[in-house]
């Protein structure tokens, strides 16, 4: 039987030329040089067990218990598992999600095991933008194909994104999918990936048709069943999207970023009250349509 996942409304067949249900995995204790080389080559690292599984599970439980007050979950057992009521289609992927940013998340990200892993990877003292994107994603939602440089690319090009599933996240629940080798595609690097959403006022994502990444650019999609404790680390030039959550179970994840302290920063994301996108989210600004951007880029 053929099995499909979705990005947006597009079906992607698992095991076809479009999608691997496989990401290369590593352990946080493996040789650092090997990991550094692998990150450079593949544009990503999936590190198993960088966080404590129990700690992640209890963060998920706590966030769900806060959200229970919003009456979005089926009652009973579902208030523990995070099963959304029928009809609750979308929850928040919007920046902030402040009320569920519990102190346990800060503790998690300041653990020595975690920070020293990034220090070794980046070869020096690190800094992380204060802005951490905690996402709660309900049925029907997904993030479109993009790379992070267009949103956060004013500082060092070596900045890394770290995607942390808060709990086990299956592909059906809307796990992250990456486009293999897309960080090496010159035609994208020289055009789209160089854009800045606050200056160029582009739509942000690269395509509404994820299949195009394979058919036109030869970059196959890849994902996996993420487990509590895993982190997916990737270059700000690697194209990615999230699969569509087709379940009733709330997908919770948090994306954070790391760079060397002495490298140039994108000031929109640092500080107590980060400026964030000062033009991109202002509806008074007319954005260039994606079709027009694509024509301008010639790709
Ligand atoms: O979790 C998502 O839906 C998208 C995450 C993402 O784009 C990122 O981590 O950079
Ligand atoms: Fe992203």
């Amino acid at each position: 039987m053929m099995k499909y996942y979705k990005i947006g409304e597009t079906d992607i067949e698992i095991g076809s030329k479009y999608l691997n249900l496989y990401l290369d995995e590593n352990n946080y204790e493996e040789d650092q040089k090997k990991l550094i080389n692998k990150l450079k080559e593949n544009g990503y690292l999936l590190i198993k067990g960088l966080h404590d599984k129990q700690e992640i599970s209890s963060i998920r439980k706590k966030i769900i218990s806060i959200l229970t007050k919003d009456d979005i979950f089926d009652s009973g057992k579902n208030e523990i598992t995070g099963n959304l009521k029928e009809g609750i289609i979308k929850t928040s992927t919007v920046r902030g999600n402040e009320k569920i940013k519990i102190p346990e998340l800060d503790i998690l990200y300041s653990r020595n095991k975690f920070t020293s892993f990034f220090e070794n990877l980046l070869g020096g003292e690190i800094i992380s933008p204060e802005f951490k994107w905690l996402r709660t994603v309900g049925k029907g939602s997904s993030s479109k194909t993009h790379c992070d440089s267009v949103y956060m690319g004013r500082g060092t090009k070596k900045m890394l994104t770290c995607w942390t599933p808060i709990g086990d996240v299956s592909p059906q629940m809307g796990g992250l999918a990456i486009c293999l080798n897309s960080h090496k595609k010159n035609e994208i690097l020289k055009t789209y990936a160089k854009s800045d959403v606050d200056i160029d006022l582009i739509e942000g994502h690269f395509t509404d048709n994820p299949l195009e990444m394979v058919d036109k650019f030869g970059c196959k999609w890849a994902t996996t069943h993420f487990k509590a404790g895993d982190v997916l680390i990737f270059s700000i030039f690697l194209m990615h999207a999230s699969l569509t959550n087709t379940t009733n179970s709330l997908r919770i994840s948090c994306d954070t970023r790391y760079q060397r302290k002495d490298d140039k920063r994108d000031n929109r994301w640092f500080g107590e009250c980060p400026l964030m996108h000062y033009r991109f989210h202002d509806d008074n600004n007319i954005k260039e349509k994606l079709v027009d951007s694509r024509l301008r880029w010639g790709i």
Side-chain angles (χ1 to χ4, degrees):
M1 201 181 76
M2 281 195 280
K3 212 174 161 195
Y4 295 90
Y5 296 141
K6 274 180 185 293
I7 296 178
E9 289 307 312
T10 307
D11 287 325
I12 310 191
E13 190 189 338
I14 306 160
S16 69
K17 68 169 182 171
Y18 293 106
L19 176 69
N20 287 342
L21 185 54
Y22 171 80
L23 287 174
D24 223 15
E25 297 178 358
N26 287 95
N27 187 287
Y28 75 96
E29 284 167 320
E30 278 178 61
D31 177 59
Q32 283 297 328
K33 268 216 180 87
K34 180 180 143 193
L35 294 182
I36 290 166
N37 289 337
K38 201 160 172 183
L39 177 61
K40 200 167 170 197
E41 181 55 29
N42 293 349
Y44 79 93
L45 286 174
L46 171 59
I47 305 294
K48 303 298 286 180
L50 187 54
H51 294 298
D52 179 70
K53 197 182 164 119
Q54 294 308 324
E55 190 176 1
I56 296 286
S57 300
S58 70
I59 290 174
R60 178 173 163 89
K61 270 191 198 141
K62 188 156 179 195
I63 290 173
I64 285 169
S65 83
I66 298 168
L67 290 172
T68 298
K69 297 183 190 74
D70 294 351
D71 200 24
I72 59 172
F73 299 118
D74 260 342
S75 56
K77 189 167 142 277
N78 296 314
E79 288 174 354
I80 300 165
T81 54
N83 265 25
L84 292 160
K85 274 185 175 167
E86 209 50 60
I88 303 282
I89 310 221
K90 275 192 189 168
T91 40
S92 179
T93 60
V94 180
R95 296 155 302 138
N97 243 335
E98 286 306 327
K99 73 173 179 181
I100 52 168
K101 275 191 185 161
I102 52 176
E104 285 85 342
L105 275 170
D106 293 322
I107 295 169
L108 185 80
Y109 289 121
S110 54
R111 279 255 149 65
N112 193 35
K113 176 179 166 189
F114 181 77
T115 55
S116 55
F117 182 80
F118 275 94
E119 275 173 6
N120 288 331
L121 211 53
L122 289 163
E125 214 179 324
I126 54 150
I127 187 159
S128 172
E130 276 77 2
F131 178 73
K132 295 182 171 39
W133 198 331
L134 181 59
R135 302 180 199 240
T136 47
V137 180
K139 195 173 188 172
S141 248
S142 65
S143 300
K144 294 180 175 180
T145 309
H146 69 279
C147 70
D148 288 353
S149 60
V150 304
Y151 300 104
M152 304 180 161
R154 287 188 192 177
T156 173
K157 307 300 171 216
K158 292 182 188 154
M159 186 162 82
L160 296 172
T161 293
C162 176
W163 188 83
T164 309
I166 306 292
D168 293 352
V169 174
S170 64
Q172 295 90 335
M173 272 174 78
L176 210 76
I178 59 169
C179 258
L180 298 170
N181 293 317
S182 53
H183 62 304
K184 293 179 180 167
K185 291 283 152 189
N186 267 328
E187 60 269 52
I188 299 175
L189 292 175
K190 284 190 187 148
T191 56
Y192 164 74
K194 266 190 167 166
S195 309
D196 179 317
V197 294
D198 285 306
I199 295 173
D200 302 313
L201 293 173
I202 56 168
E203 289 189 35
H205 59 292
F206 177 70
T207 179
D208 284 307
N209 172 19
L211 304 182
E212 182 195 18
M213 293 311 297
V214 183
D215 291 332
K216 189 162 181 182
F217 300 98
C219 299
K220 194 169 182 174
W221 288 94
T223 190
T224 191
H225 286 261
F226 295 97
K227 295 286 171 201
D230 296 351
V231 298
L232 183 65
I233 297 165
F234 54 91
S235 153
I236 56 169
F237 295 103
L238 189 75
M239 291 284 205
H240 55 282
S242 72
L243 296 170
T244 305
N245 187 351
T246 53
T247 72
N248 285 322
S249 186
L250 185 67
R251 186 254 286 188
I252 308 177
S253 62
C254 189
D255 36 288
T256 55
R257 285 154 189 95
Y258 301 89
Q259 65 170 79
R260 269 176 59 155
K261 204 171 177 177
D262 50 10
D263 274 346
K264 188 173 168 209
R265 298 175 198 182
D266 182 336
N267 286 324
R268 285 171 295 179
W269 306 101
F270 286 90
E272 280 288 297
C273 275
L275 174 65
M276 306 200 275
H277 291 308
Y278 54 91
R279 289 182 78 213
F280 182 59
H281 289 307
D282 179 349
D283 289 338
N284 294 318
N285 292 320
I286 298 163
K287 287 186 190 144
E288 181 178 58
K289 292 216 162 26
L290 181 54
V291 282
D292 295 329
S293 307
R294 292 289 298 264
L295 279 175
R296 180 164 58 81
W297 296 326
I299 50 172

